[in-house]
Amino acid sequence: MNQDRILITGASGQLGTVLTKKLQEKYGVINVIASDLRLDSNFKGIFETLDATDFDAIQEIVSKYKITQIYHLAAILSANGEKYPLNTWDINMKTFFNVLEISRLNAINRVFFPSSIAVFGDNIDRIDTAQYSNLTPSTVYGMSKVTGENWSKYYFEKYGLDIRSIRYPGVIGYQSLPGGGTTDYAVDIFIKAIKNENYECFLNSSTTLPMIYMDDVIRATIELMEAPKEAITVRTSYNLAGMSFDPAQLTKAIQKIYPDFKVSYNPDFRQKIADSWPMSIDDSYARKDWNWKPKFDIDAMTRDMVKNLKIKFSDKSMSC
């Protein structure tokens, strides 16, 4: 029986809420310790209130529960990060350094660090962006992720810390509200459609970006963490691809279910961020090293999003 004890920082976020449940199913509720600044009222399991900038607080949890794996999800995302750039840098880097050092000192078996397509800048081939492209990001969030990737490689080579990472595309899921990212339109647009409201998009209609459905994200993350150590050849962060589309294409997919749904466009500061990112991703290293393959395309994702959001909003209306 697997005796791993897992700590998740940032467990109340968009990705953390879903990943926590999946890890609970896989490893058992008593072996997964979720942590964040605040407890979600719907959470079930073991939860520790944690400010991940506090080294001693993380150390206390690691010792208390005899943690063997850490999924470090706590971070300020791209769009919100640009509002307070220095604070974003301080929080994203301090929390990660705390996790790295605690993992080294406590001989943690395995660490997960999420990176992002935000690591790329505008001096790349935006079609099928390669694993080892230039990394000159346009946001502080992206800068923190590039730095985190390099520190991950350093801790692996210097101390043997088995830290693994994925460059996430835009993540789309029905389970929680968006957390301040540039690709959040692809979640907001579904919520408006379900509510029979029109949507004003903050990106141009033709802004193609790489996206991935939450189910594929969670599966990819766990598959990477369970892959044999000798199979991992990328010690910065793996490119990961799901699907690529623009707001107009997503609108058409939604209109197959809601024909009267309308979208207008009013680009804001996030347009410049999106224009510096890839349009599609070459994830051949992930496919080769740990057999990654996405299951959801735009139509399958749209059907599943609509189905689950309808259930979610129906449940809310009945509980009021």
Side-chain angles (χ1 to χ4, degrees), residues 42-221:
N42 297 318
F43 179 78
K44 295 180 181 179
I46 302 173
F47 185 90
E48 292 278 353
T49 302
L50 175 67
D51 177 353
T53 64
D54 186 336
F55 183 96
D56 292 336
I58 302 175
Q59 176 61 57
E60 183 178 342
I61 293 174
V62 168
S63 298
K64 177 181 178 180
Y65 293 100
K66 298 180 173 58
I67 297 297
T68 63
Q69 291 189 26
I70 298 178
Y71 287 72
H72 176 56
L73 308 182
I76 298 177
L77 302 182
S78 59
N80 282 345
E82 290 305 286
K83 298 174 184 176
Y84 308 100
L86 297 183
N87 185 58
T88 297
W89 177 264
D90 287 342
I91 289 176
N92 287 3
M93 296 315 304
K94 186 171 185 178
T95 58
F96 187 45
F97 283 136
N98 285 346
V99 168
L100 286 174
E101 273 298 280
I102 286 170
S103 298
R104 178 182 70 85
L105 295 170
N106 291 272
I108 298 295
N109 293 340
R110 201 161 289 178
V111 177
F112 179 75
F113 166 70
S115 190
S116 164
I117 59 169
V119 298
F120 299 110
D122 57 9
N123 58 346
I124 56 168
D125 291 327
R126 297 185 67 206
I127 305 296
D128 290 333
T129 302
Q131 174 67 47
Y132 293 106
S133 297
N134 293 319
L135 303 182
T136 53
S138 62
T139 64
V140 175
Y141 172 70
M143 290 163 58
S144 71
K145 290 302 182 182
V146 171
T147 305
E149 289 187 15
N150 288 326
W151 277 105
S152 298
K153 186 172 183 288
Y154 180 87
Y155 266 74
F156 172 72
E157 294 177 346
K158 182 82 171 180
Y159 305 116
L161 179 62
D162 188 0
I163 181 165
R164 306 178 180 195
S165 180
I166 288 172
R167 291 171 182 158
Y168 288 134
V171 177
I172 304 170
Y174 60 86
Q175 294 89 342
S176 61
L177 295 175
T182 300
T183 56
D184 281 352
Y185 88 86
V187 177
D188 291 337
I189 195 171
F190 283 104
I191 295 173
K192 291 293 187 180
I194 294 295
K195 292 182 176 181
N196 293 313
E197 299 175 5
N198 295 333
Y199 178 63
E200 182 178 273
C201 185
F202 54 75
L203 297 179
N204 286 322
S205 63
S206 60
T207 305
T208 299
L209 289 170
M211 301 285 192
I212 191 167
Y213 195 45
M214 182 67 79
D215 288 30
D216 277 340
V217 166
I218 300 303
R219 183 170 55 83
T221 302

